[in-house]
Amino acid sequence: MDIGIGLPGHAPWTDGRTLVEWARRAEARGFSTLSVSDRLVWNTPEPLVALAAAAGATSRIRLLTSVLLGPLRAGHALFAKAVTTLDQLAGPGRVRLGLAPGMREDDFTHGEVDYGTRGREFDRLLDRLAAVASGDDPVGPPPATAGGPALLFGGGSAAALRRITTHGTGWIAGDATVEDVQGFTPRLRAAWEEAGRPGSPTVIASVMYALGPGAHDAVERAIGSYYAFAGEEYARYGVSIAYTRAEDIAAAVGEFARIGCDELIFMGNDPDPAQVDLLADAVGL
Protein backbone atom coordinates (compact mmCIF):
# COMPACT_ATOMS: atom_id res chain seq x y z
CA MET A 1 0.00 0.00 0.00
CA ASP A 2 1.27 3.45 -0.90
CA ILE A 3 1.44 6.22 1.72
CA GLY A 4 0.60 9.77 0.69
CA ILE A 5 0.38 13.09 2.51
CA GLY A 6 -2.10 15.94 2.26
CA LEU A 7 -1.38 19.64 2.45
CA PRO A 8 -2.79 21.34 5.58
CA GLY A 9 -4.90 23.60 3.39
CA HIS A 10 -7.89 23.70 5.74
CA ALA A 11 -5.68 24.50 8.74
CA PRO A 12 -4.75 28.10 9.74
CA TRP A 13 -1.79 28.58 7.40
CA THR A 14 -0.83 32.16 6.53
CA ASP A 15 1.99 31.85 3.97
CA GLY A 16 1.51 29.91 0.74
CA ARG A 17 5.24 29.25 0.55
CA THR A 18 4.76 26.93 3.53
CA LEU A 19 2.61 24.68 1.36
CA VAL A 20 5.29 24.59 -1.33
CA GLU A 21 7.83 23.57 1.31
CA TRP A 22 5.48 20.74 2.31
CA ALA A 23 5.55 19.55 -1.30
CA ARG A 24 9.35 19.60 -1.44
CA ARG A 25 9.72 17.73 1.84
CA ALA A 26 7.03 15.21 0.93
CA GLU A 27 8.90 14.24 -2.22
CA ALA A 28 12.26 14.16 -0.45
CA ARG A 29 10.90 11.81 2.24
CA GLY A 30 9.40 9.40 -0.29
CA PHE A 31 5.65 9.89 0.02
CA SER A 32 3.74 8.50 -2.95
CA THR A 33 1.29 11.37 -3.36
CA LEU A 34 0.70 14.97 -2.36
CA SER A 35 -2.99 15.82 -2.08
CA VAL A 36 -4.99 18.99 -1.53
CA SER A 37 -8.60 19.45 -0.42
CA ASP A 38 -11.20 21.91 -1.72
CA ARG A 39 -13.67 24.38 -0.27
CA LEU A 40 -14.74 27.77 -1.55
CA VAL A 41 -15.91 29.45 1.68
CA TRP A 42 -12.75 28.71 3.64
CA ASN A 43 -9.03 29.48 3.55
CA THR A 44 -8.39 26.29 1.55
CA PRO A 45 -6.18 27.06 -1.50
CA GLU A 46 -7.62 26.52 -4.95
CA PRO A 47 -6.57 22.93 -5.68
CA LEU A 48 -5.30 23.21 -9.25
CA VAL A 49 -3.32 26.37 -8.48
CA ALA A 50 -1.80 24.75 -5.39
CA LEU A 51 -0.84 21.61 -7.31
CA ALA A 52 0.64 23.68 -10.14
CA ALA A 53 2.97 25.28 -7.58
CA ALA A 54 3.78 21.83 -6.18
CA ALA A 55 4.45 20.50 -9.68
CA GLY A 56 7.04 23.20 -10.22
CA ALA A 57 8.73 22.46 -6.90
CA THR A 58 8.91 18.69 -7.39
CA SER A 59 9.55 16.16 -10.14
CA ARG A 60 8.33 12.72 -9.05
CA ILE A 61 5.61 12.76 -6.39
CA ARG A 62 2.05 12.21 -7.65
CA LEU A 63 -0.43 15.08 -7.29
CA LEU A 64 -4.06 14.55 -6.24
CA THR A 65 -7.15 16.64 -5.57
CA SER A 66 -8.85 15.10 -2.55
CA VAL A 67 -11.48 16.06 -3.41
CA LEU A 68 -12.17 18.85 -5.87
CA LEU A 69 -15.79 20.06 -5.92
CA GLY A 70 -16.49 19.66 -9.61
CA PRO A 71 -19.83 21.48 -10.02
CA LEU A 72 -18.38 24.72 -8.62
CA ARG A 73 -16.35 24.95 -11.85
CA ALA A 74 -19.21 26.31 -13.95
CA GLY A 75 -16.93 27.07 -16.93
CA HIS A 76 -16.44 23.51 -18.09
CA ALA A 77 -14.12 24.26 -20.99
CA LEU A 78 -11.94 26.52 -18.85
CA PHE A 79 -11.78 23.86 -16.14
CA ALA A 80 -10.74 21.24 -18.69
CA LYS A 81 -8.04 23.58 -19.97
CA ALA A 82 -6.74 24.13 -16.43
CA VAL A 83 -6.61 20.36 -15.86
CA THR A 84 -4.71 19.60 -19.06
CA THR A 85 -2.36 22.52 -18.40
CA LEU A 86 -1.60 21.16 -14.92
CA ASP A 87 -1.01 17.73 -16.45
CA GLN A 88 1.48 19.27 -18.89
CA LEU A 89 3.29 21.12 -16.09
CA ALA A 90 3.54 18.00 -13.93
CA GLY A 91 4.39 15.51 -16.67
CA PRO A 92 2.76 12.21 -17.65
CA GLY A 93 1.10 10.14 -14.98
CA ARG A 94 1.60 12.45 -12.01
CA VAL A 95 -1.80 14.16 -11.75
CA ARG A 96 -4.93 12.41 -10.54
CA LEU A 97 -8.23 14.14 -9.89
CA GLY A 98 -10.38 13.16 -6.94
CA LEU A 99 -13.81 14.69 -7.56
CA ALA A 100 -17.14 15.02 -5.77
CA PRO A 101 -20.35 17.05 -6.19
CA GLY A 102 -19.99 18.89 -2.87
CA MET A 103 -22.31 19.13 0.13
CA ARG A 104 -21.84 22.63 1.54
CA GLU A 105 -24.61 24.83 0.17
CA ASP A 106 -22.76 28.02 1.11
CA ASP A 107 -19.96 27.11 -1.31
CA PHE A 108 -22.49 27.17 -4.12
CA THR A 109 -24.24 30.31 -2.90
CA HIS A 110 -20.98 32.27 -2.88
CA GLY A 111 -19.85 30.59 -6.11
CA GLU A 112 -23.12 31.66 -7.76
CA VAL A 113 -23.79 28.09 -8.86
CA ASP A 114 -27.16 26.36 -8.43
CA TYR A 115 -26.88 23.84 -5.61
CA GLY A 116 -29.97 21.94 -6.75
CA THR A 117 -28.62 21.10 -10.19
CA ARG A 118 -25.05 20.35 -9.17
CA GLY A 119 -25.28 16.65 -10.02
CA ARG A 120 -26.40 17.33 -13.58
CA GLU A 121 -23.72 20.00 -14.04
CA PHE A 122 -21.11 17.63 -12.64
CA ASP A 123 -21.95 15.07 -15.31
CA ARG A 124 -21.74 17.72 -18.04
CA LEU A 125 -18.34 18.81 -16.73
CA LEU A 126 -17.08 15.22 -16.82
CA ASP A 127 -18.23 14.77 -20.40
CA ARG A 128 -16.46 17.97 -21.47
CA LEU A 129 -13.27 17.03 -19.64
CA ALA A 130 -13.29 13.63 -21.35
CA ALA A 131 -13.71 15.24 -24.77
CA VAL A 132 -10.85 17.68 -24.19
CA ALA A 133 -8.55 15.03 -22.73
CA SER A 134 -9.17 12.67 -25.66
CA GLY A 135 -8.57 15.34 -28.29
CA ASP A 136 -12.20 15.35 -29.51
CA ASP A 137 -12.60 19.00 -28.51
CA PRO A 138 -10.75 22.07 -29.85
CA VAL A 139 -9.89 23.28 -26.32
CA GLY A 140 -6.23 22.74 -25.52
CA PRO A 141 -3.49 22.08 -24.62
CA PRO A 142 -3.61 18.30 -24.84
CA PRO A 143 -2.75 16.47 -21.63
CA ALA A 144 0.69 14.99 -21.15
CA THR A 145 -0.98 11.81 -19.86
CA ALA A 146 -2.63 9.79 -22.61
CA GLY A 147 -6.39 10.18 -22.19
CA GLY A 148 -5.94 12.73 -19.42
CA PRO A 149 -5.40 12.40 -15.67
CA ALA A 150 -6.98 9.47 -13.88
CA LEU A 151 -10.27 10.32 -12.17
CA LEU A 152 -11.42 9.07 -8.76
CA PHE A 153 -14.72 9.91 -7.12
CA GLY A 154 -15.76 10.47 -3.54
CA GLY A 155 -19.09 9.67 -1.93
CA GLY A 156 -21.14 6.54 -1.45
CA SER A 157 -24.23 7.19 -3.54
CA ALA A 158 -25.52 5.38 -6.60
CA ALA A 159 -24.46 8.41 -8.65
CA ALA A 160 -20.91 8.11 -7.28
CA LEU A 161 -20.79 4.46 -8.33
CA ARG A 162 -22.08 5.38 -11.79
CA ARG A 163 -19.40 8.02 -12.23
CA ILE A 164 -16.68 5.67 -11.03
CA THR A 165 -17.67 2.96 -13.48
CA THR A 166 -18.20 5.28 -16.46
CA HIS A 167 -15.48 7.92 -16.02
CA GLY A 168 -13.23 6.80 -13.20
CA THR A 169 -10.45 4.55 -12.11
CA GLY A 170 -11.61 4.21 -8.52
CA TRP A 171 -12.94 5.60 -5.25
CA ILE A 172 -11.52 7.98 -2.67
CA ALA A 173 -12.86 7.98 0.90
CA GLY A 174 -12.35 11.12 2.95
CA ASP A 175 -11.98 11.08 6.76
CA ALA A 176 -12.27 7.33 6.44
CA THR A 177 -12.30 4.59 9.02
CA VAL A 178 -11.49 0.98 8.28
CA GLU A 179 -15.19 0.24 8.75
CA ASP A 180 -16.16 2.89 6.18
CA VAL A 181 -13.94 1.30 3.56
CA GLN A 182 -15.04 -2.24 4.38
CA GLY A 183 -18.69 -1.17 4.16
CA PHE A 184 -18.46 0.36 0.69
CA THR A 185 -15.89 -1.67 -1.25
CA PRO A 186 -18.15 -4.70 -1.87
CA ARG A 187 -20.67 -2.42 -3.64
CA LEU A 188 -17.84 -0.74 -5.51
CA ARG A 189 -16.34 -3.98 -6.78
CA ALA A 190 -19.75 -5.39 -7.71
CA ALA A 191 -20.61 -2.27 -9.72
CA TRP A 192 -17.18 -2.36 -11.38
CA GLU A 193 -17.63 -5.97 -12.43
CA GLU A 194 -21.22 -5.40 -13.59
CA ALA A 195 -20.02 -2.52 -15.79
CA GLY A 196 -17.52 -4.88 -17.43
CA ARG A 197 -14.51 -2.88 -16.34
CA PRO A 198 -11.25 -4.87 -16.41
CA GLY A 199 -9.09 -5.32 -13.32
CA SER A 200 -10.08 -3.72 -10.03
CA PRO A 201 -10.99 -0.16 -9.01
CA THR A 202 -8.39 1.81 -7.09
CA VAL A 203 -9.30 2.37 -3.44
CA ILE A 204 -7.80 5.36 -1.64
CA ALA A 205 -8.56 6.33 1.96
CA SER A 206 -7.61 9.62 3.55
CA VAL A 207 -7.39 10.34 7.27
CA MET A 208 -6.52 13.38 9.38
CA TYR A 209 -3.33 13.68 11.41
CA ALA A 210 -1.06 15.92 13.44
CA LEU A 211 2.00 14.90 15.46
CA GLY A 212 4.22 16.35 18.15
CA PRO A 213 3.56 18.05 21.50
CA GLY A 214 0.83 20.33 20.10
CA ALA A 215 -0.89 17.67 18.00
CA HIS A 216 -4.22 17.58 19.80
CA ASP A 217 -4.51 21.36 19.91
CA ALA A 218 -3.70 21.55 16.19
CA VAL A 219 -6.44 19.03 15.39
CA GLU A 220 -8.93 20.91 17.58
CA ARG A 221 -8.18 24.20 15.82
CA ALA A 222 -8.23 22.83 12.29
CA ILE A 223 -10.93 20.17 12.32
CA GLY A 224 -13.25 21.60 14.96
CA SER A 225 -13.83 24.79 13.03
CA TYR A 226 -13.69 23.17 9.59
CA TYR A 227 -16.56 20.80 10.40
CA ALA A 228 -18.53 23.17 12.61
CA PHE A 229 -21.09 23.58 9.79
CA ALA A 230 -22.32 20.02 10.46
CA GLY A 231 -22.85 20.60 14.16
CA GLU A 232 -20.82 20.10 17.30
CA GLU A 233 -21.34 16.32 17.41
CA TYR A 234 -19.93 15.81 13.92
CA ALA A 235 -17.04 18.18 14.58
CA ARG A 236 -16.22 16.29 17.80
CA TYR A 237 -16.33 13.03 15.86
CA GLY A 238 -13.91 14.41 13.27
CA VAL A 239 -11.49 15.42 16.00
CA SER A 240 -11.82 12.06 17.73
CA ILE A 241 -10.82 9.97 14.70
CA ALA A 242 -7.79 12.07 13.78
CA TYR A 243 -4.39 10.47 14.39
CA THR A 244 -2.16 12.28 16.87
CA ARG A 245 0.25 9.54 18.01
CA ALA A 246 2.98 7.88 15.96
CA GLU A 247 2.06 4.42 17.21
CA ASP A 248 -1.56 4.85 16.13
CA ILE A 249 -0.44 6.00 12.70
CA ALA A 250 1.75 2.92 12.31
CA ALA A 251 -1.18 0.72 13.35
CA ALA A 252 -3.50 2.46 10.88
CA VAL A 253 -1.12 1.71 8.03
CA GLY A 254 -1.32 -1.97 8.88
CA GLU A 255 -5.10 -1.99 9.20
CA PHE A 256 -5.84 -0.14 5.96
CA ALA A 257 -3.35 -2.34 4.11
CA ARG A 258 -5.02 -5.44 5.55
CA ILE A 259 -8.43 -4.52 4.09
CA GLY A 260 -7.03 -3.94 0.62
CA CYS A 261 -6.56 -0.18 0.30
CA ASP A 262 -4.24 0.77 -2.52
CA GLU A 263 -3.18 4.02 -0.87
CA LEU A 264 -3.59 5.75 2.49
CA ILE A 265 -3.22 9.52 2.62
CA PHE A 266 -2.60 11.40 5.87
CA MET A 267 -4.04 14.92 5.66
CA GLY A 268 -2.12 17.53 7.64
CA ASN A 269 -3.71 19.72 10.31
CA ASP A 270 -0.66 21.67 11.48
CA PRO A 271 0.96 23.95 8.85
CA ASP A 272 4.49 23.47 10.22
CA PRO A 273 6.54 21.68 7.50
CA ALA A 274 8.20 19.68 10.27
CA GLN A 275 4.96 17.68 10.28
CA VAL A 276 6.09 16.05 7.03
CA ASP A 277 9.19 14.62 8.67
CA LEU A 278 7.29 13.53 11.78
CA LEU A 279 4.85 11.58 9.62
CA ALA A 280 7.60 10.08 7.49
CA ASP A 281 9.32 8.83 10.63
CA ALA A 282 6.06 7.39 11.96
CA VAL A 283 5.33 5.37 8.80
CA GLY A 284 8.95 4.32 8.27
CA LEU A 285 9.89 6.40 5.24
Side-chain angles (χ1 to χ4, degrees):
M1 183 180 70
D2 290 335
I3 306 296
I5 190 169
L7 292 174
H10 62 282
W13 59 275
T14 56
D15 185 343
R17 291 169 295 184
T18 297
L19 304 183
V20 175
E21 178 60 21
W22 267 68
R24 292 193 181 103
R25 292 197 188 195
E27 179 166 271
R29 290 304 302 263
F31 287 100
S32 58
T33 295
L34 180 76
S35 75
V36 60
S37 58
D38 188 22
R39 277 285 310 283
L40 183 60
V41 187
W42 201 254
N43 66 340
T44 317
E46 201 290 314
L48 300 183
V49 173
L51 291 184
T58 60
S59 60
R60 300 181 308 278
I61 194 168
R62 293 191 302 245
L63 307 170
L64 172 70
T65 59
S66 173
V67 291
L68 184 144
L69 307 180
L72 284 178
R73 278 67 185 182
H76 299 166
L78 187 59
F79 172 71
K81 187 179 186 73
V83 168
T84 59
T85 300
L86 173 60
D87 196 58
Q88 282 284 351
L89 292 172
R94 289 184 68 197
V95 175
R96 293 176 296 170
L97 297 181
L99 300 159
M103 60 181 290
R104 283 288 305 265
E105 192 165 355
D106 59 344
D107 284 336
F108 290 82
T109 299
H110 287 273
E112 300 181 36
V113 175
D114 184 10
Y115 183 76
T117 62
R118 69 193 188 284
R120 183 162 60 249
E121 288 304 304
F122 193 15
D123 290 333
R124 291 183 59 226
L125 178 143
L126 293 173
D127 289 340
R128 188 65 185 271
L129 178 58
V132 171
S134 66
D136 295 331
D137 190 293
V139 171
T145 304
L151 306 184
L152 301 111
F153 293 90
S157 66
L161 284 171
R162 172 178 56 79
R163 292 177 183 121
I164 291 169
T165 57
T166 56
H167 290 283
T169 60
W171 177 58
I172 183 164
D175 284 356
T177 64
V178 167
E179 292 73 22
D180 292 334
V181 176
Q182 287 180 308
F184 186 73
T185 49
R187 291 174 56 204
L188 171 64
R189 291 178 175 131
W192 189 267
E193 183 176 348
E194 185 178 346
R197 296 290 301 273
S200 300
T202 299
V203 175
I204 300 176
S206 70
V207 297
M208 297 285 197
Y209 94 95
L211 288 168
H216 189 267
D217 288 343
V219 164
E220 287 271 3
R221 285 193 302 271
I223 297 178
S225 56
Y226 190 61
Y227 286 141
F229 75 93
E232 184 175 353
E233 183 178 351
Y234 185 82
R236 292 291 95 208
Y237 172 72
V239 170
S240 72
I241 63 172
Y243 293 89
T244 56
R245 300 193 309 167
E247 55 267 37
D248 293 336
I249 283 175
V253 170
E255 284 298 297
F256 280 96
R258 179 184 61 80
I259 64 170
C261 277
D262 297 292
E263 187 166 28
L264 179 61
I265 296 175
F266 290 90
M267 301 293 296
N269 286 271
D270 180 340
D272 186 349
Q275 289 287 314
V276 179
D277 297 305
L278 291 172
L279 180 62
D281 292 342
V283 299
L285 293 178

